[in-house]
Amino acid sequence: MDRGSSGGTLVDKTKYAATLEEEMRAARIANVELTADERGAIERLLDDRPHVDTDALLREMGEAAFSGEPGAFAAFVARSHQRICVAAADSDDVSKLLVIGYKMGISRGDAACMNDLGALYYMGELVEQDYAKAAELYEMAMNHGCHQSIINLGYIWEYGRTGERDYQKAYQYYALAATLADSSEAAYKLGDMYSRGKFVERDMAKAYQLWSRSLDLANDIVEIAQPAIRIAQLLLSEDCESAGAKRDPMRALQLFQQAEIGLRVDIDNGQTYYRKRLEEAIEGQERARAIIDEPIF
């Protein structure tokens, strides 16, 4: 196969593209009537019958999938993630349409659908977990210009999802993502590499700088949560001075509180794996308050 400029293997998008049969199945699930030529070109005709909530969601998913607008389906799923997770528990059609919708986007060259289908396989909540498929889809998305997929490939290698851990590759992907875009996530992940001494020499000063950079780049309370909890923990730790920071329990308390809010939003949106991190944020607040309340003699 050809190789991209990044050195990764280019995956043929037709491997994950929706077939005409799958598009027909998606139309039936979403109650959309189809007319298709041999190339699978589709027109959608919607009826206005009342639907229960799951049917309404399926219709909306169908509209987004068949709209033909770049990024429309991935954007809809991102907005409707919680609704989709709840409905999928009651109807297999939701998960089926979700996968086919992404594949339809991939067949049109949509990098967001490539990345998000990869994330679906990575998480394994609504489909059977498959890290190999996730890695292929992330690679494909990266080669179609998706910056998030570069970070996601870093996770694949950092945690050895498809085999042995490779911290060098993880570092390279995080660094590439940080170079190409002002990414809060890429910055704090690079900070993690320095704080843990993975591939690079352990350097808490660089970790602190990168976490601070991540905090500056964060656009909302959800993005703030990850660098906030890391900096807060550092401000109460023995590594504080070596990182070039001053012990500051008051600021740590504030950062732990911000982290708690962002993590609760993440968990409410289905990212339940952050529960342990949430406990750390709550416990961190208690430690910071205990230090603040220590009597001064």
Side-chain angles (χ1 to χ4, degrees), residues 21-273:
E21 180 182 358
E22 287 177 323
E23 294 192 6
M24 296 285 285
R25 191 188 314 155
R28 289 195 297 273
I29 293 171
N31 292 324
V32 180
E33 295 179 24
L34 293 183
T35 301
D37 60 20
E38 69 273 9
R39 297 292 300 167
I42 297 171
E43 295 178 8
R44 54 185 176 84
L45 300 171
L46 303 175
D47 67 50
D48 57 358
R49 294 175 298 170
H51 298 283
V52 298
D53 289 347
T54 297
D55 288 340
L57 174 62
L58 290 170
R59 177 176 297 282
E60 292 173 51
M61 291 173 70
E63 290 176 4
F66 288 106
S67 71
E69 297 178 13
F73 186 76
F76 174 81
V77 173
R79 292 194 306 270
S80 310
H81 178 79
Q82 191 172 30
R83 292 172 62 204
I84 289 170
C85 288
V86 171
D90 296 325
S91 172
D92 291 339
D93 285 345
V94 176
S95 296
K96 292 175 183 176
L97 183 54
L98 181 62
V99 172
I100 296 172
Y102 279 139
K103 292 173 77 174
M104 289 169 64
I106 290 171
S107 69
R108 299 182 182 110
D110 188 346
C113 282
M114 298 170 190
N115 178 76
D116 293 357
L117 181 56
L120 199 66
Y121 284 119
Y122 185 95
M123 297 307 301
E125 293 177 346
L126 301 180
V127 298
E128 185 176 354
Q129 195 166 55
D130 191 323
Y131 290 129
K133 286 183 179 179
E136 279 193 331
L137 285 157
Y138 289 157
E139 188 86 23
M140 185 195 305
M142 178 182 68
N143 290 315
H144 280 75
C146 177
H147 290 159
Q148 181 61 47
S149 64
I150 303 173
I151 301 173
N152 293 346
L153 282 165
Y155 285 104
I156 290 283
W157 289 108
E158 181 181 2
Y159 298 106
R161 299 307 192 193
T162 56
E164 293 185 5
R165 297 172 187 252
D166 190 325
Y167 294 116
Q168 179 177 354
K169 287 185 178 180
Y171 178 88
Q172 289 171 340
Y173 278 119
Y174 294 144
L176 176 61
T179 300
L180 293 176
D182 290 334
S183 167
S184 176
E185 185 177 5
Y188 84 70
K189 289 304 297 178
L190 274 177
D192 289 351
M193 300 293 284
Y194 280 102
S195 73
R196 298 167 185 165
K198 300 301 185 183
F199 174 61
V200 292
E201 185 177 347
R202 189 172 188 267
D203 189 327
M204 290 308 299
K206 288 182 179 178
Y208 179 46
Q209 291 172 349
L210 285 160
W211 291 337
S212 298
R213 168 69 171 162
S214 174
L215 189 63
D216 290 340
L217 291 172
N219 292 313
D220 54 40
I221 193 63
V222 172
E223 288 193 357
I224 285 171
Q226 296 299 331
I229 194 169
R230 287 162 168 77
I231 295 172
Q233 290 169 333
L234 176 64
L235 295 178
L236 299 183
S237 75
E238 295 178 355
D239 287 322
C240 186
E241 289 188 9
S242 66
K246 293 182 179 180
R247 196 165 186 256
D248 191 340
M250 190 68 75
R251 183 171 183 236
L253 175 60
Q254 180 187 34
L255 290 169
F256 277 129
Q257 289 171 333
Q258 291 178 310
E260 179 187 357
I261 296 169
L263 291 166
R264 287 190 184 279
V265 173
D266 272 333
I267 292 169
D268 191 50
N269 287 333
Q271 300 180 64
T272 55
Y273 47 85

